[in-house]
Amino acid sequence: LLSCYSGFNLERVNGTIDVMETLAGVFNQSVQGAVGVSLASVLSLYVMWRGFLRPHLEAKIPVDGVPTPPRCHWFAGHLHVYRHPFRVAMENFLRYRDKNGRFGMWLGPYLRALVLTKPNDVKLVLHAEHQHRLIPIFKKHLIRVFGRKNIVVIGGRSWKHARSTIMKSFTPSTLVYSKDTMLHVAETMVDSLKNRLEKDSTMIFDVAELMKMITLDVFGLAAFSYQFQSCDNLRMSAVAEA
């Protein structure tokens, strides 16, 4: 009885081992097959990406009928060019504008941009369109810096009216009207410098700081009829600095 019982157990053990070996072989074959299929899929996707999808993304046209500068990145668009100084980047872009001074570009993977370089075209668009949309994450950052009522952030008709109000300050007639204010501030600066040098002829002045004083005094008088008196005192006004 003991030997029969032991043999019966040995047979069961041997059968279990055979089943486990079979399952292990099937599992190894399945893993090898899955790895092979995965590698083949990755290789196929890479070939498709390099051969078709990436060239398509880099060659797509943002605005039909308008030239587009080359070297468009598949994800960043033309933004990668701004790694260079802004002036250099724009000079490179302007070489590809059409006879009407227009060219298109990509600002990232999906945002199209039409660049206009002629003032009449810009004026026509700004007078005809009052929509002003920003990328949400960019708008959130600007709101934290400038507030919700800044002209950079607001949109719709409010943006159009605010823009029109500000642009009136830069018309030739307004600049001519402000000429007397500019001359007055400049003469005040000259008189203050003369008086200071008469007291101490060895004094050294920072030209950049002097230009800031003139600019702020002109702006205060022309825009707000307020005298910062930076040019009178040859010291930046605390109000202007604030």
Side-chain angles (χ1 to χ4, degrees):
L1 290 174
L2 182 61
S3 62
C4 290
Y5 182 75
S6 302
F8 177 73
N9 285 339
L10 289 174
E11 289 178 359
R12 291 185 62 184
V13 170
N14 291 333
T16 303
I17 292 175
D18 291 340
V19 171
M20 292 179 66
E21 290 178 348
T22 302
L23 291 175
V26 172
F27 179 76
N28 290 333
Q29 291 178 359
S30 300
V31 171
Q32 292 175 359
V35 171
V37 171
S38 299
L39 290 176
S41 300
V42 170
L43 182 61
S44 300
L45 290 174
Y46 178 76
V47 171
M48 185 181 298
W49 165 254
R50 292 287 297 181
F52 172 73
L53 187 57
R54 180 171 177 174
H56 170 72
L57 292 173
E58 293 179 346
K60 61 182 181 178
I61 304 298
V63 183
D64 293 335
V66 178
T68 303
R71 297 179 59 201
C72 176
H73 189 265
W74 67 270
F75 182 77
H78 293 92
L79 290 178
H80 69 97
V81 180
Y82 288 101
R83 293 177 298 178
H84 307 288
F86 180 77
R87 180 178 178 181
V88 176
M90 290 307 300
E91 287 178 351
N92 291 332
F93 283 153
L94 289 175
R95 291 186 300 170
Y96 300 98
R97 58 185 172 178
D98 61 10
K99 62 181 181 180
N100 296 316
R102 306 172 302 173
F103 64 89
M105 59 187 299
W106 288 99
L107 303 177
Y110 65 90
L111 188 61
R112 309 165 188 262
L114 174 62
V115 182
L116 306 175
T117 60
K118 290 191 175 182
N120 290 335
D121 293 338
V122 176
K123 182 178 180 181
L124 180 64
V125 172
L126 291 178
H127 278 282
E129 180 62 50
H130 60 265
Q131 295 299 322
H132 181 218
R133 302 182 183 92
L134 295 172
I135 301 174
I137 189 172
F138 186 50
K139 182 177 181 179
K140 184 177 180 180
H141 173 72
L142 291 176
I143 289 175
R144 294 182 61 182
V145 176
F146 299 110
R148 294 185 176 275
K149 296 184 178 181
N150 190 277
I151 189 172
V152 180
V153 177
I154 60 176
R157 296 190 179 277
S158 299
W159 172 66
K160 184 176 181 180
H161 294 325
R163 191 190 68 233
S164 299
T165 302
I166 292 174
M167 289 304 297
K168 291 177 181 178
S169 301
F170 297 95
T171 58
S173 59
T174 305
L175 293 176
V176 170
Y177 176 78
S178 303
K179 181 179 67 173
D180 293 338
T181 301
M182 299 177 188
L183 290 174
H184 170 72
V185 172
E187 290 172 353
T188 302
M189 171 66 77
V190 171
D191 292 338
S192 299
L193 289 173
K194 286 181 178 179
N195 294 333
R196 188 67 61 87
L197 289 173
E198 288 177 356
K199 296 178 181 178
D200 185 359
S201 61
T202 62
M203 286 196 67
I204 299 176
F205 298 96
D206 187 345
V207 176
E209 289 297 317
L210 295 178
M211 291 300 101
K212 287 182 183 179
M213 296 176 193
I214 293 176
T215 302
L216 289 172
D217 279 9
V218 169
F219 181 73
L221 285 172
F224 305 110
S225 297
Y226 183 85
Q227 295 186 3
F228 289 121
Q229 295 184 338
S230 299
C231 294
D232 296 83
N233 303 318
L234 293 181
R235 185 175 64 252
M236 190 67 72
S237 168
V239 177
E241 287 184 341

